[in-house]
Amino acid sequence: MSGFDHRKYRPFPPLAKRDRRWPDRTIDRAPRWASVDLRDGNQALVQPMNVEQKLKLFELLVSMGFKEIEVGFPAASQPDFDFVRRIIDEGRVPDDVAIQVLTQAREELIARTYEALRGVKRAIVHVYNSTNPAQREQVFRLDRAGVKAIAVRGAQWVKDYAARYPGTEWTFQYSPESFSQTEPDFAVEVCTAVNDVWRPEHGQAVIHNLPATVESSTPNVFADQVEWFCDHLPGREHVSISVHTHNDRGCGIAAAELAVLAGADRVEGTLMGNGERTGNMDIVTMAMNLYSQGVDPELDLSAAREMAESYTECTGMPVHPRHPWVGELVYTAFSGSHQDAIRKGMAHYREHPAAGWSVPYLPIDPADLGRRYEEVVRINSQSGKGGVAHVLERDYAISLPRWLAQEVSRAVQAESERSGGEVAPARIHEIFSQQFGATPAGWELDSYALSRAGNEVKAAVGVGAGQQIAHLSGQGHGVVEALVDALNQRYGIGLAVEQFDQHALSAGTEANAMASVRIRFGHETATAVAFGEDTTAAALQAVLSAAGQVIPMQTRQPFAASNG
């Protein structure tokens, strides 16, 4: 039998709860955020941060707007102790920020913790002990009463030592570690006993933090546990309920979001979800999820790229290119149909901004996170005409008609297939210029004169360069038809125009107008684009450039030996 045997595992038992209310709620405001990057996140690193890296990350968290930041476990490590002292002694903790420190429920550790916090204005002392059956039975070999006694003694020491430092505004936090694997009634029993020591009803600020230390169930089950806890904890209105979810099942963010629906006031997590095993709850993603729904996340994520770079510099952890919201590629479309929809959607938004953001495939405006529109559409062999057209319009103010976009896209796709990779905007423009915008030698527009005779346009066109100028004349219903008539008379052939478009260019471009044409000669077609000082000049040059591609080889430079 294979060692991959599912029968050794037991399904997590759901909570029997028939009065759940959280599914009918929505999140309409941000929870209190608590960053645990400098403690929980740091202990998960192969190479923990040094003091300078921790300082840089602390300053980043402050600049983003975090008001509660867990900075270490000062009683467990000298570097953590020294770091806490440094940010206090050097005045690096803003008055409106509370630093949080973790300690086990042991007196010597709690005493050392308060020593580290001496002189701080505001602080959260976070004490914890494990409460779930596996830890009780296998690690501590204690019954429920014994585990509850650890929590009560720890709470008393936290309270007693705080009294020695009256100059600090203290908040007490207790975590029944592995809350999600603890019997709900026992979690309430332990937290009630802690409240009996701390007496939050008399004004002491208290947080009960409910960790999914190991994610063991679907997020809805965790939400049921949180709602049940909130419903059954005596004096719930006097305390803050916090959650600290992990990502073992890949649902840490969803579990935190549903926990907020279930009554949690506060969420602990890390930037990018850094943490032990599969990571902690990702505050960046949850905050941006709120932002995308029109809810103020109360964190500033507008400089997302710089934030991600600082995170990597401090932790050594890369940001996955597909990380939600801030990954390098999350707003990038290679698919042709996606690119076309994005291009049209962004044009619609520019015309109707009051209608709100609803661009296909872009849940938010990338510019909100400091991302440039140049990064949204990128071209490879999977891209279509819409993406190529978007790049030329965005970067070079060149708008392509649909039929021309198809031709340019085929040329760019061929380049991508040859190279096996992405085609940069500059290379797209180069392909466009070389294959569609080049003028064959001897086919340059030198001069033109137009006159009207009834509904007909008569055109006299000078073609060539230097001393080799030929003069053609023809007539038709428009200037293009008149020039084609002139060419057909000259050669006794049957050139025909299949597609033609022209338009004025936006201010700031070198030329004033662009014309594009596709002509047919027998079984051959040729496409050309020309830019000119005016739409007539551009139209005439486009026709001449296309004609120079399909007229038989022996006469491809027909004007070189002619002087009229």
Side-chain angles (χ1 to χ4, degrees), residues 332-342 361 376-387:
T332 299
F334 291 105
S335 163
S337 61
H338 289 199
Q339 293 171 343
D340 186 57
I342 289 171
Y361 302 111
V376 173
V377 174
R378 290 163 59 176
I379 307 301
N380 63 13
S381 61
Q382 303 299 307
S383 306
K385 64 182 184 301

Side-chain angles (χ1 to χ4, degrees), residues 235-411:
R236 160 68 181 96
E237 67 275 16
H238 301 300
V239 302
S240 296
I241 301 300
S242 176
V243 292
H244 180 121
T245 59
H246 281 243
N247 205 41
D248 300 87
R249 293 168 56 95
C251 300
I253 296 165
E257 289 179 329
L258 298 193
V260 170
L261 294 177
D265 311 298
R266 179 179 185 267
V267 172
E268 292 190 345
T270 60
L271 303 182
M272 315 301 174
N274 175 45
E276 290 183 300
R277 303 184 309 279
T278 59
N280 285 20
M281 201 289 299
D282 180 0
I283 287 182
V284 173
T285 297
M286 184 170 172
M288 285 304 305
N289 289 354
L290 296 179
Y291 182 77
S292 71
Q293 301 301 303
V295 176
D296 181 0
E298 299 180 13
L299 293 175
D300 183 2
L301 296 166
S302 59
R305 187 188 299 281
E306 291 78 4
M307 180 266 293
E309 290 173 351
S310 294
Y311 161 82
T312 296
E313 180 182 344
C314 293
T315 66
M317 299 287 287
V319 177
H320 195 284
R322 296 295 182 187
H323 180 284
W325 302 114
V326 299
E328 179 186 357
L329 296 178
V330 295
Y331 304 108
T332 299
F334 291 105
S335 163
S337 61
H338 289 199
Q339 293 171 343
D340 186 57
I342 289 171
R343 182 171 64 93
K344 293 173 180 174
M346 291 176 70
H348 181 271
Y349 176 72
R350 286 192 291 268
E351 294 171 2
H352 308 283
W357 183 265
S358 61
V359 175
Y361 302 111
L362 293 178
I364 67 162
D365 184 346
D368 292 349
L369 294 180
R371 299 292 293 271
R372 296 176 302 153
Y373 289 117
E374 289 84 341
E375 300 163 321
V376 173
V377 174
R378 290 163 59 176
I379 307 301
N380 63 13
S381 61
Q382 303 299 307
S383 306
K385 64 182 184 301
V388 172
H390 177 80
V391 169
L392 289 173
E393 182 174 356
R394 178 193 68 197
D395 296 350
Y396 300 98
I398 297 173
S399 297
L400 302 183
R402 181 180 179 86
W403 63 269
L404 180 57
Q406 292 173 332
E407 294 194 30
V408 178
S409 175
R410 283 194 290 269

Side-chain angles (χ1 to χ4, degrees), residues 26 40 213 305 347 372 380 460 462 483 493 497 504:
T26 57
D40 205 351
T213 307
R305 187 188 299 281
R372 296 176 302 153
N380 63 13
L483 178 55
I493 57 175
V497 175

Side-chain angles (χ1 to χ4, degrees), residues 131-149:
T131 57
N132 67 310
Q135 298 255 33
R136 294 197 310 257
E137 298 164 7
Q138 300 171 30
V139 179
F140 300 107
R141 300 176 184 269
L142 292 172
D143 59 11
R144 282 189 173 196
V147 167
K148 183 170 73 171

Side-chain angles (χ1 to χ4, degrees), residues 82-99:
D82 293 342
F83 174 71
V84 173
R85 287 306 322 155
R86 181 169 176 179
I87 60 175
I88 295 172
D89 292 340
E90 295 181 359
R92 294 176 179 266
V93 183
D95 288 345
D96 62 345
V97 171
I99 59 173

